[in-house]
Amino acid sequence: MKKLLVLVLSLAMVLSLSACGNKETKKSNSDSSKKKFTVGFDAEYPPYGYMDSDTGEYTGFDLELAQAVCDMEGWELVKTPIEWASKDAELNNGNIDCIWNGFTINGKEDKYEWSDPYVNNQQVVVVAKNSGITKLADLKDKYVAAQSASAALQLLQKGGDQEKLGKTFKEIQEFPDYNTAFSELEAGTVDAVAMDVGVAKYQVNNRNNNYVILDENLNSEQYGIGFKKGNTELRDKVNADLKKLYDEGKVDELAKKYGIEDMICLGDK
């Protein structure tokens, strides 16, 4: 009798596990059937893309906007952190579908298939509050930091609109990300950081307001989503979804959440 009971219980367990396995297989097949939309982003570029220290998840204005597009299309969002200096290789090799992370259109109009501009941006300079630097001219003979391959760096280097200003610096130092650049500013090894205004505001507000943004900016520009040349089909689909999200108020909702509500330009004529 005991042997029979054991046999019955064993059979029931096998059937139960088999059913669970079938459910998992169905779920897996369902997930794998979803189109994946792979976004390349700088993981240390708040408020556009960064890791939330509380959740350990990547988040930010651009990533939440990308998720909203995926929700509309029924796609699975794949968030792929990239080295900013390697973004073109990642895109052209097919590792990512687009570059979506505070990506400046100006000066690169012909290199990508661009979405419509959605954020107005400025390149600015951040200094320590007690540095005595109050205007761009005060940066003469100073050490200025910028992210590698960034719009700010390109502005200040040869051929950039602020090349003349850049030549007055003691040195322009390149860093892989702005967290590192700010660490150098805190340590006093650089005197200023040239960067995007949205990121600058985030950094200043989260570092006990010991830093200030100079009133004079380096330029004005716009952000867009960059797709590989020739991939107009995906660009057009995402662009149309962005417009719908703007009309529904989702873009403004996210912009307010991340403190950039005064920078949105999607609805501009």
Side-chain angles (χ1 to χ4, degrees):
M1 185 67 180
K2 287 182 179 178
K3 289 183 179 179
L4 180 61
L5 180 59
V6 169
L7 182 61
V8 170
L9 289 174
S10 298
L11 182 59
M13 185 175 293
V14 169
L15 290 172
S16 175
L17 289 173
S18 176
C20 289
N22 287 337
K23 287 179 182 177
E24 288 299 322
T25 301
K26 287 177 182 177
K27 181 180 179 182
S28 176
N29 289 341
S30 174
D31 290 344
S32 64
S33 67
K34 267 191 172 184
K35 171 182 167 60
K36 289 181 170 59
F37 181 54
T38 305
V39 170
F41 70 101
D42 181 346
E44 298 189 54
Y45 207 69
Y48 300 101
Y50 62 99
M51 180 174 284
D52 187 311
S53 58
D54 294 328
T55 65
E57 299 289 333
Y58 289 120
T59 189
F61 173 73
D62 282 339
L63 293 180
E64 285 209 45
L65 202 51
Q67 183 62 64
V69 167
C70 287
D71 291 343
M72 291 182 72
E73 294 291 345
W75 297 341
E76 177 185 345
L77 176 62
V78 180
K79 305 172 185 177
T80 303
I82 58 174
E83 290 290 334
W84 198 243
S86 303
K87 58 187 178 295
D88 289 344
E90 297 285 354
L91 183 65
N92 292 327
N93 290 338
N95 297 329
I96 57 176
D97 292 313
C98 66
I99 303 166
W100 192 342
N101 192 215
F103 195 20
T104 301
I105 297 173
N106 308 66
K108 299 185 284 287
E109 289 87 349
D110 297 328
K111 289 189 66 177
Y112 309 89
E113 302 294 352
W114 288 103
S115 70
D116 289 344
Y118 65 100
V119 168
N120 286 322
N121 185 55
Q122 295 174 333
Q123 295 297 330
V124 298
V125 175
V126 178
V127 297
K129 190 176 287 186
N130 61 356
S131 67
I133 299 171
T134 60
K135 55 186 183 296
L136 294 178
D138 294 337
L139 295 171
K140 183 179 179 182
D141 295 327
K142 303 295 185 184
Y143 291 92
V144 178
Q147 184 182 28
S148 300
S150 66
L153 181 64
Q154 291 164 2
L155 269 176
L156 295 165
Q157 289 182 323
K158 185 176 180 179
D161 290 345
Q162 291 286 2
E163 176 187 356
K164 186 175 179 180
L165 174 66
K167 285 181 176 179
T168 69
F169 302 163
K170 181 74 172 179
E171 184 182 349
I172 301 173
Q173 297 189 6
E174 298 181 38
F175 296 94
D177 58 77
Y178 280 116
N179 283 335
T180 304
F182 258 88
S183 295
E184 296 298 319
L185 184 60
E186 285 180 324
T189 53
V190 298
D191 302 294
V193 181
M195 62 196 307
D196 300 61
V197 67
V199 185
K201 287 178 179 178
Y202 182 93
Q203 293 284 3
V204 168
N205 292 337
N206 285 275
R207 292 176 184 269
N208 300 317
N209 288 304
N210 292 324
Y211 302 90
V212 294
I213 301 171
L214 297 186
D215 290 336
E216 294 177 90
N217 61 57
L218 296 171
N219 80 335
S220 295
E221 58 189 29
Q222 292 183 312
Y223 287 163
I225 308 162
F227 297 83
K228 186 177 179 179
K229 287 294 286 184
N231 194 1
T232 56
E233 182 179 356
L234 183 58
R235 186 273 313 273
D236 291 346
K237 188 179 290 289
V238 172
N239 215 29
D241 289 341
L242 274 182
K243 291 176 181 177
K244 290 177 186 175
L245 289 168
Y246 177 79
D247 291 340
E248 293 169 0
K250 183 65 174 179
V251 175
D252 286 336
E253 175 191 323
L254 290 175
K256 187 173 182 180
K257 175 180 177 180
Y258 288 99
I260 59 169
E261 61 269 27
D262 59 336
M263 298 169 63
I264 300 301
C265 64
L266 257 180
D268 295 353
K269 297 294 183 182

